[in-house]
Structure formats: structure tokens, C-alpha cells
């Protein structure tokens, strides 16, 4: 048997192995393509901060889109394998327009490199993307989870929905004009969610004296998702102790005492009625602290020694938010009702 015959036999013998490898590669590729990439959209509801937040139910609403990202010029676009974008509108963003902030910066204020250490500054992260935004205003968009208590009501979407919505949202974002009473942060969040839930989706203005609030949009979202049979999950960030305790009004006693649109008229015309509501509110707070909330959560970290635990909780919440999870529940245990 000559060398040429041996080479031919080797080639013939090697063919099945090559064919097997090619076939396996095709199967793997087909399986990978068949598995749909998961994505989520989440309504971000921040609890009140500052003096105005203490006196009223002023919070903040944004929308997180897990498939959104920014190009070099600051325009939003569709992309995979990213922590996503948070779209938000506030009084200190230059009009017209609404902000689009990478999720890692918005929630934790850290660079995407994930070094952990110090909070990123506006100048080193977003200033070149948004040169018209003053640094003092821009910093307010970074590291929100370290300051406010935050809830993200998350539900799943498809790639087709995201591509269509992101393209439309970029065009609308450039023309959005903010106003506190009629086109505020909650109104903009509602506009974003309507791309996924339909134009009929809207919060109830009646209970808020014809003003749309973050809490009303949150209630409307949960109600809409339940009616559609769409599973959802609420991811909670604790925030700082002196802000995390202050939720928007959960009952009539709390609203009457802390919301000036109710409190001021009563103090002027019916002060005894206000005292009665104050007693009701105080009793509710005492019962809540005693029965369901650990008292240490209302104390400074320096006193309780829980600062590291709070930081760990915040990072775990963010990890839970951006990681793919198929265990969304229509009755989430972390939801605030």
C-alpha cells in the first residue's frame, strides 16, 4: 500500500470527526439562538427627600430599560449585555429634553469598571456626554440608591418591543418639556411605560387633585400588569436611614398630617381636627415600628454598626435588579402597597 493510499484513507477516516464537530457547532448555535435574551423594564419610584419631601408626598419617578445604552453623542439606542439606562425628567435638566443615565451610575454612582471605591463624579463620567448640564445639577443623577429609598417594579419585555420603544423614546426625549404641575417626572415615566402597555395606561389624578404623582403611576402599573396577567417583581433599595423611613402617604392620617395641601387648611380652620389626625398618625407609626420594622433601621449607621450591612443590601438589590431572573412574581414580597 503506497503513501498516497494511506493519505486517502486518513482523510476519509477524518471526515466523520469533522462532520461531527460541525454538526455539534450548528446545534449549539441553534440552541443559543433559540433561547430568547431576557430583558426588563422597571418603574423606578424614589421616596421623598429634603424639607419639601418631609412636608409633602413629593417623590420621584423614572423608568429603567435593561436593553438601553448611550452612544458617544448621548443618544439612546438598543444594545444587549448592558445594565441598561434610566430615563428621567426633572426641573434641573435643561429643557427641552429628558435625562438618560446609565443604570450603574444612576443607582450606585460608580464607574462601569466596577472598582467599587469612591462614588463617580459627574465630571469624570457624564459631563462630556451632556456638556450643557451644570456639574452641580448633574451630580444629582448619580448614586440615587445611597440617598433615597427606591422601589423598582420590573416586568419582562421582548427585543422587538425594546427596539421599537427605544427608537421612539429617543425622538420624544429630545422634545420633552418639563413642568412641575402637568408634565412632571411621573408624567414622563407614564409616557415611557405607554410604549409597552398602550396609550390607555395612565395613573389616577383624582386622588392627587389633578396632579400625577409617582405613587399613582406605580399603583396604575401594578393594576395594569395584574389585569394582563403579566408577572412582575419589586426590587427594593433601602436608602439612607433619615430618608428611607419617609414613604409617601399610605393612609388618610399620614396624608392629613404631612401633606400641606391638607395640613395647612386644617391648621388654619380646624386645628383640633389636625391634632386628632396627628394622634392617629403617631399611633400608626408606633405600631409600625414596634410590630414590623426593626428599631435599629431608624438609627444612624454609626450608632448601630450597620453601615456595612446597608451597603451590602444596596449592592445586592442592584445585583438582583440587573441579573436575569425568571422568578418574577405577581405578588412580590418586597412590594410596598
Amino acid at each position: 500500500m503506497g503513501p498516497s493510499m494511506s493519505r486517502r484513507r486518513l482523510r476519509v477516516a477524518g471526515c466523520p470527526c469533522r462532520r461531527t464537530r460541525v454538526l455539534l457547532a450548528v446545534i449549539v448555535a441553534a440552541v443559543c439562538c433559540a433561547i430568547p435574551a431576557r430583558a426588563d423594564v422597571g418603574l423606578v419610584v424614589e421616596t421623598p427627600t429634603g424639607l419639601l419631601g418631609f412636608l409633602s408626598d413629593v417623590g420621584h419617578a423614572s423608568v429603567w430599560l435593561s436593553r438601553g445604552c448611550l452612544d458617544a453623542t448621548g443618544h439612546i439606542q438598543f444594545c444587549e449585555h448592558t445594565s441598561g439606562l434610566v430615563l428621567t425628567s426633572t426641573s434641573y435638566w435643561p429643557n427641552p429634553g429628558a435625562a438618560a443615565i446609565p443604570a450603574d451610575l444612576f443607582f450606585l454612582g460608580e464607574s462601569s469598571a466596577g472598582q467599587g471605591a469612591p462614588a463617580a463624579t459627574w465630571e469624570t463620567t457624564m459631563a462630556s456626554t451632556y456638556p450643557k448640564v451644570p456639574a452641580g445639577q448633574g451630580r444629582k443623577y448619580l448614586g440615587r440608591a445611597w440617598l433615597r429609598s427606591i422601589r423598582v417594579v420590573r416586568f419582562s419585555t421582548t427585543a422587538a418591543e425594546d427596539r421599537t420603544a427605544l427608537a421612539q423614546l429617543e425622538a420624544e426625549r429630545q422634545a420633552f418639556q418639563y413642568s412641575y404641575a402637568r408634565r412632571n417626572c411621573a408624567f414622563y415615566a407614564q409616557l415611557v411605560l405607554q410604549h409597552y402597555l398602550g396609550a390607555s395606561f395612565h395613573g389616577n389624578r383624582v386622588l392627587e387633585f389633578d396632579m400625577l404623582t409617582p405613587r399613582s403611576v406605580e399603583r396604575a402599573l401594578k393594576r395594569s400588569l395584574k389585569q394582563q396577567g403579566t408577572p412582575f417583581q419589586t426590587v427594593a433599595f433601602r436608602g439612607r436611614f433619615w430618608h428611607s423611613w419617609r414613604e409617601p402617604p399610605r393612609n388618610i392620617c399620614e396624608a392629613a398630617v404631612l401633606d400641606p395641601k391638607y395640613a395647612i387648611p386644617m391648621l388654619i380652620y380646624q386645628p383640633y381636627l389636625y391634632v386628632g389626625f396627628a394622634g392617629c398618625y403617631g399611633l400608626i407609626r408606633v405600631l409600625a415600628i414596634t410590630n414590623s420594622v426593626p428599631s435599629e433601621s431608624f438609627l444612624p449607621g454609626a450608632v448601630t454598626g450597620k453601615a456595612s450591612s446597608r451597603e451590602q443590601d444596596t449592592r445586592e438589590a442592584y445585583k438582583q435588579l440587573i441579573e436575569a431572573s425568571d422568578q418574577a412574581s405577581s405578588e412580590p414580597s418586597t412590594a410596598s402597597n
Side-chain angles (χ1 to χ4, degrees):
M1 181 174 61
S4 61
M5 179 64 70
S6 299
R7 285 194 296 270
R8 282 198 299 272
R9 287 186 176 180
L10 287 173
R11 285 197 297 268
V12 171
C15 286
C17 294
R18 287 198 298 272
R19 286 198 294 270
T20 301
R21 287 197 296 269
V22 171
L23 180 59
L24 287 174
V26 170
I27 292 174
V28 171
V31 170
C32 292
C33 293
I35 298 175
R38 180 186 171 89
D40 299 285
V41 168
L43 173 65
V44 182
V45 180
E46 302 177 34
T47 53
T49 61
L51 178 61
L52 182 60
F54 182 81
L55 294 175
S56 70
D57 56 356
V58 175
H60 189 69
S62 311
V63 178
W64 167 69
L65 302 101
S66 68
R67 278 195 175 112
C69 64
L70 291 176
D71 64 17
T73 61
H75 294 88
I76 62 176
Q77 60 184 7
F78 176 93
C79 56
E80 299 278 12
H81 311 299
T82 175
S83 60
L85 281 179
V86 176
L87 301 184
T88 182
S89 181
T90 66
S91 59
Y92 44 84
W93 187 261
N95 274 334
I101 309 297
D104 53 350
L105 292 175
F106 183 90
F107 288 102
L108 301 181
E110 296 174 351
S111 66
S112 56
Q115 298 299 322
T121 64
W122 180 263
E123 292 89 339
T124 59
T125 56
M126 302 301 296
S128 59
T129 305
Y130 299 119
K132 294 183 179 180
V133 179
Q137 303 289 12
R139 293 191 195 102
K140 297 179 181 180
Y141 290 92
L142 306 184
R144 311 280 282 196
W146 301 120
L147 177 65
R148 295 178 182 239
S149 176
I150 295 175
R151 297 184 304 278
V152 184
V153 182
R154 179 179 72 182
F155 60 96
S156 298
T157 63
T158 66
E161 289 175 328
D162 289 336
R163 288 185 184 276
T164 302
L166 286 166
Q168 295 173 346
L169 286 168
E170 173 56 28
E172 295 172 359
R173 180 174 74 98
Q174 301 300 330
F176 185 79
Q177 202 75 17
Y178 178 93
S179 69
Y180 180 80
R182 304 300 301 178
R183 296 173 62 84
N184 56 16
C185 62
F187 180 83
Y188 181 70
Q190 177 178 277
L191 287 180
V192 175
L193 292 174
Q194 284 176 345
H195 286 279
Y196 294 92
L197 302 174
S200 61
F201 169 77
H202 60 84
N204 190 340
R205 292 176 177 268
V206 175
L207 298 178
E208 310 295 341
F209 291 88
D210 200 36
M211 182 177 177
L212 197 61
T213 65
R215 197 65 178 266
S216 64
V217 177
E218 181 184 26
R219 288 194 296 263
L221 175 60
K222 291 180 178 180
R223 181 173 62 251
S224 177
L225 293 175
K226 287 181 179 179
Q227 289 175 348
Q228 296 177 13
T230 302
F232 65 90
Q233 181 185 36
T234 299
V235 178
F237 295 79
R238 295 173 65 186
R240 288 183 180 174
F241 81 96
W242 53 82
H243 293 309
S244 61
W245 76 275
R246 173 71 178 101
E247 293 279 348
R250 288 157 289 192
N251 52 70
I252 188 172
C253 295
E254 185 170 344
V257 172
L258 297 179
D259 196 324
K261 64 177 174 277
Y262 306 125
I264 293 176
M266 276 195 294
L267 284 171
I268 296 174
Y269 299 107
Q270 294 291 339
Y272 293 108
L273 182 60
Y274 182 86
V275 171
F277 277 117
C280 169
Y281 169 67
L283 178 62
I284 290 174
R285 292 303 302 168
V286 169
L287 292 175
I289 295 172
T290 303
N291 297 330
S292 61
V293 182
S295 60
E296 65 181 13
S297 66
F298 298 102
L299 298 176
V303 175
T304 63
K306 295 294 183 178
S308 60
S309 175
R310 184 177 298 278
E311 179 175 341
Q312 181 179 355
D313 288 348
T314 300
R315 296 187 188 282
E316 286 297 322
Y318 181 69
K319 181 180 178 182
Q320 180 185 0
L321 176 67
I322 63 174
E323 282 187 345
S325 171
D326 293 319
Q327 308 203 353
S329 169
S330 60
E331 294 294 336
S333 59
T334 57
S336 298
N337 296 316

